[in-house]
Structure formats: C-alpha cells, structure tokens
Amino acid sequence: MSKPHDIAGLIAWAKRDEWRGILAEFIDRHSAKVCEAAGIDVEEIADVLGEDAATVVWGAAFEDLVATDLPGNRNLADDYLRRRGWKEGVSVREYIAGLRRATISVYEVSGLVPGESMLLRDLVRGGEPVRVSEKLGSQGLRQWDRIATRVIPMSEGAVISGTLMLFDHDTSEALLASLRKTRTQAPRDVAAIAQEFGIKTDSKTLADMMTPDLLLAGAAFMVTNFWLDAGIKAARGQNRPELLNSEGDPLDFITLHFPLLPKVKPEQVRQALAAVPAFRQEDPGFWNWLDEPGTKPQPVPRRGKAQTFFSTMEDGSLVLGTLALKGRRLSLEVNSTARAARGRALLEPVLAELVGSPLTERTDLEQMLETKRPPPKPSGLSPEEERALIHQSLEDHYRHILDQPIPSLGGKSPRAAAKTPKGREKVVAWLKTLENHSAKRPTGDPIGEYDFGWMWRELGVEARRH
C-alpha cells in the first residue's frame, strides 16, 4: 500500500475502540468468504500470499470504510476531520476528503511515464482516460495492465489511493461481468422485496437509480474478493488455463519412437514417407505432418479459461506433428493422445516391413515447464544486429498471422475480423494482449522492445490504441 499522502492519523483513528469493530467487519466482508473457501483463516493471508497482499486486503477494507455512510450518519473520515482535522495540513485534508468521496473501479493502464504518471481508463463507468500522478505504481505496471484502485481528484492533479490491485485479464473480465450482472439483477430484487411490503415501485425506476457510482460503492468488497481468490489460486497453481490443440484435445506431448528393423536402410524409410502427401519433407531427416490442404483450425468452444494452441506453415497449412529420422529410429512428435493414435494409424501401413512397434514417451505440461533449456549459442552478431534480426523475424511472423484464423477472434483472421464493429473490438483486445505480454519481458529483451504500432495501423484500429 503506497502512501501518496500521509494519512497515518486517519489510520490510527480507525483503530480506536469506537471504530475497531466496524473495521474488522469490513475486513471480513472483503476476505472471509474467499478464505473460508480456500480453507484458511483471514490471518493466514500473509502466510499464503505474503505481507504485501495482506496489506492490500486491509487497505481495500479500510478505504471502503472511509467511503461508506454508516447508520446514524456516521462516517470515519467525517469523524476524523471534525475532531482531528485541525492537526493535518491542507493537502492531507483534501486527500482524505477526496478518498471519502471516491469509489473503487477497474481501470486499464496506458500512457505510462515510469516514475511520474499514467493514464487510467475506467472499464465500468467509461469516459476518457484520466492521467494520474503516481511514482511507484507507474514503475511496476505495464501497458494495458488492469488494476483496481480509487482515483482522487486533487487541486494539483488526480492521484490514486494507497490500495492498488493488479488483475490478470481473465479475472478482470469475470469481475466486470459480475458487476454488470449485479447492476441488472439488483433492481429486480429490490422491486420484488418492496412489493412484499406493499411499496409501489418497479425495476425500471430502480434501474435508473442504480448508477455505476452507486453500484461500485456497494460492490467494493466484490473487487477485493475476486482479486484475493485469484491470488490464492495462483499461489496454489489452481488458475492455470486448460491448454487445448486445434481439435480441442488437452495438450499432452507424446513421442512415438519407431525402431528401424534389422537391415532396413534410412533411405527406404524416406522413400516410404515420400508416398504420403501429408508428410512434407524439410530436410533429409525431418518432416512436418500437415492436415488436409485447405484445412483451418476449427473454433473450439471456450471452457472457462481454456486456451487453444496451433501451428501453421507459411502457406497456412495446419501442422499436426513432426517426424525426425535419427540413426536407427523414426520419431513422431504430437501434442495429444488422439493425434498420436491418428499418426500411428497413418504411419504403420506404409512402414509395415520397415519399423517395429513404437516405444511411447510422454511428457506432460508440468514437465515441459520444468525442463531447463540450454542457453542459446552466441549468434556472432552485435546487439544491434541481433535486435534488428529478431524484430524482422517478429514482423514476418505477425504479417503471416494477420491472415490466419485466431481462436480468440472466433476463428477469423485479424484482417477479416477488423471489418466489422464487433470484430474490431476483439482485434483491439487481441492487440492489447500482445503488447501487454511483450511489455512484461525483462528489460533489454529485444522482444519486449518490439513496436506493434504497424499492426494497429494495418488493421485500421490505430485510434483505439490510446
């Protein structure tokens, strides 16, 4: 919890006997349900996620209390300013009054000036992005990150509150969907209750009263709950998306090793493989196994956070696997059990008298992630030449991708999707994801320095980049 203004006095006031119990209730509301589902006590958040996370939860609950009107016209900030405000400077009093009126929301980050400021676009209330002064947050965030915080107008310019929660894209989308559902459902629920007490009202009238500000003021605890739940699941490795191939099969990396039979020469195997159109030879010992010509990856229905991965050749042919002939062994590598069976059924008839029964090697995703890759060999190029080569390779790759079907774009290519209003929305989100992931590369990484600006211009959505 950063400290743009010193509100130590207000924090101490919240710990007085008259406020301590209420603050504890707010902390429970912001965390108890998630902790119960995770099988931990609220006091154990620091043990699971670290002290910083526990401080964020406390800060979110504290700021919610500061901004909440309690029964009897009681409010923590009003009480403090009335009884102790004379001890604070003008800037701190202005900040506390601003925090009193501010509501938490979900923002998209852009226009970063590290160590100085950033632009925040409100994803709930809409409107133009607001530039806020922020030293610490602007250094740790990246372009198109999504955060939850409170924007506080000040005489010297807007700032954010001390509590900042960073969201991954999927969690922020789930939170935004829940807020939209709450805004739609709440008026109907209130109207039904009112009718039970004989109060004449209707859901439309109540819906007009349910402004985004009112919604956010009452849903601050939801923001913290979503953030905390995602953090605990991430710490336990429970939030990894399901990874699927183009057929919708879970990724399962399988290699079938076919031993060459005695007296069989490698050239005989090459000749046999040449008779199968699906095997495209790249060099004497390597083939790509391609799907039927013209076949495109089929859109796979999304299952929660499932992500689809596929590989294509430059001509758009879908790659199903690879074959490698080394020594006395022919190896087929695929990414699913179903493809392994399909590949074996394709190979065995043409290699019947040439190879024996295959040995199966299976590597799951966890093992793949844990495998330590050897460091790359020196290229012999200067850093500038290497960077230029990498950037040219990325441009060649993405120029090819612009005409390939993308699952997140509904199976359409970026160029095709950008031709419709709804498609453009998806294209913009796709480009932001690319830039966000690139921005998170280590400092000095050539990939992290790549400029995607030409893609925005090429697809006609440049105006949406700012």
Side-chain angles (χ1 to χ4, degrees):
M1 186 172 175
S2 59
K3 294 183 179 180
H5 295 80
D6 188 357
I7 57 171
L10 178 62
I11 293 173
W13 197 257
K15 296 178 181 179
R16 291 166 62 96
D17 289 344
E18 58 193 297
W19 293 105
R20 186 185 302 121
I22 300 173
L23 176 59
E25 291 176 6
F26 272 70
I27 293 173
D28 278 350
R29 195 177 188 209
H30 280 253
S31 58
K33 186 175 181 180
V34 172
C35 290
E36 181 180 0
I40 65 173
D41 293 329
V42 173
E43 294 75 15
E44 295 178 290
I45 292 175
D47 297 330
V48 176
L49 298 179
E51 289 291 344
D52 287 346
T55 301
V56 167
V57 173
W58 188 94
F62 167 76
E63 291 180 1
D64 191 12
L65 173 58
V66 169
T68 298
D69 291 313
L70 300 173
N73 294 320
R74 298 181 66 207
N75 174 265
L76 174 65
D78 291 346
D79 185 46
Y80 178 73
L81 290 175
R82 183 177 64 254
R83 298 167 63 181
R84 289 291 187 273
W86 58 271
K87 298 181 64 176
E88 302 287 4
V90 175
S91 179
V92 172
R93 290 200 303 272
E94 182 186 12
Y95 177 83
I96 293 175
L99 184 60
R100 161 79 170 93
R101 297 187 300 270
T103 53
I104 196 165
S105 192
V106 183
Y107 295 91
E108 179 184 74
V109 177
S110 63
L112 284 158
V113 182
E116 293 184 16
S117 66
M118 57 188 172
L119 285 171
L120 297 182
R121 183 168 72 93
D122 196 322
L123 298 179
V124 179
R125 291 173 287 196
E128 292 298 314
V130 176
R131 182 161 292 281
V132 298
S133 299
E134 172 61 20
K135 293 183 178 180
L136 294 179
S138 62
Q139 292 175 326
L141 296 174
R142 297 292 180 267
Q143 182 83 346
W144 309 127
D145 273 345
R146 290 183 171 186
I147 64 172
T149 189
R150 296 170 189 261
V151 173
I152 304 172
M154 299 282 288
S155 56
E156 69 270 21
V159 298
I160 64 173
S161 68
T163 298
L164 184 156
M165 290 174 268
L166 176 63
F167 282 81
D168 65 78
H169 186 271
D170 286 340
T171 303
S172 68
E173 283 295 307
L175 171 58
L176 291 170
S178 184
L179 288 171
R180 288 192 293 269
K181 182 178 179 181
T182 299
R183 188 178 182 186
T184 301
Q185 185 65 38
R188 291 200 292 263
D189 292 342
V190 173
I193 295 172
Q195 289 175 7
E196 289 181 6
F197 285 91
I199 302 174
K200 293 183 178 181
T201 186
D202 61 88
S203 57
K204 184 181 183 307
T205 301
L206 292 170
D208 293 339
M209 297 170 59
M210 179 62 80
T211 64
D213 280 337
L214 185 61
L215 168 69
L216 290 168
F221 73 97
M222 287 177 57
V223 178
T224 313
N225 275 262
F226 269 82
W227 178 83
L228 181 59
D229 181 62
I232 292 175
K233 287 178 177 176
R236 293 176 171 178
Q238 297 173 342
N239 68 337
R240 289 179 181 170
E242 183 182 13
L243 305 182
L244 311 173
N245 66 12
S246 59
E247 285 97 23
D249 299 320
L251 291 191
D252 192 8
F253 301 95
I254 297 174
T255 304
L256 300 179
H257 299 290
F258 295 86
L260 273 60
L261 295 176
K263 298 183 180 180
V264 171
K265 297 180 179 180
E267 185 58 33
Q268 293 175 265
V269 175
R270 295 190 186 96
Q271 291 175 0
L273 294 177
V276 183
F279 299 135
R280 182 182 296 181
Q281 188 169 10
E282 305 297 334
D283 62 45
F286 186 84
W287 294 256
N288 279 303
W289 173 26
L290 307 179
D291 208 344
E292 293 292 332
T295 301
K296 301 294 184 181
Q298 297 300 312
V300 177
R302 289 185 65 87
R303 302 201 293 263
K305 294 184 179 182
Q307 295 181 6
T308 305
F309 290 84
F310 60 90
S311 177
T312 61
M313 303 294 287
E314 290 186 0
D315 62 2
S317 299
L318 183 64
V319 179
L320 301 179
T322 61
L323 283 165
L325 181 60
K326 295 182 180 180
R328 303 289 302 171
R329 184 171 65 182
L330 177 70
S331 300
L332 169 68
E333 291 189 6
V334 294
N335 63 12
S336 76
T337 302
R339 280 191 185 172
R342 182 178 168 188
R344 182 172 180 174
L346 184 61
L347 280 169
E348 288 185 332
V350 299
L351 300 175
E353 304 299 327
L354 303 176
V355 300
S357 298
L359 298 175
T360 302
E361 178 185 354
R362 187 186 301 270
T363 305
D364 62 25
L365 183 61
E366 295 294 334
Q367 291 171 317
M368 288 277 292
L369 293 174
E370 292 175 1
T371 300
K372 292 184 179 180
R373 298 183 178 181
K377 296 180 181 179
S379 64
L381 301 174
S382 68
E384 292 75 17
E385 293 172 326
E386 193 171 79
R387 183 179 294 103
L389 181 62
I390 291 174
H391 286 184
Q392 185 59 55
S393 297
L394 287 170
E395 182 167 338
D396 293 343
H397 168 73
Y398 284 118
R399 285 198 179 278
H400 171 63
I401 289 294
L402 291 185
D403 294 303
Q404 301 304 311
I406 305 294
S408 63
L409 302 181
K412 295 182 179 180
S413 71
R415 289 191 197 277
K419 294 179 180 179
T420 65
K422 287 185 178 180
R424 281 193 291 275
E425 291 291 331
K426 293 181 179 179
V427 167
V428 168
W430 176 68
L431 288 170
K432 286 180 177 180
T433 298
L434 292 180
E435 289 195 330
N436 184 249
H437 288 176
S438 177
K440 291 178 179 178
R441 305 282 294 196
T443 302
D445 187 324
I447 296 177
E449 298 172 353
Y450 184 69
D451 184 3
F452 289 86
W454 69 269
M455 293 177 67
W456 292 77
R457 294 189 293 272
E458 188 96 359
L459 295 171
V461 294
E462 183 179 16
R464 303 291 303 279
R465 196 183 185 193
H466 305 288

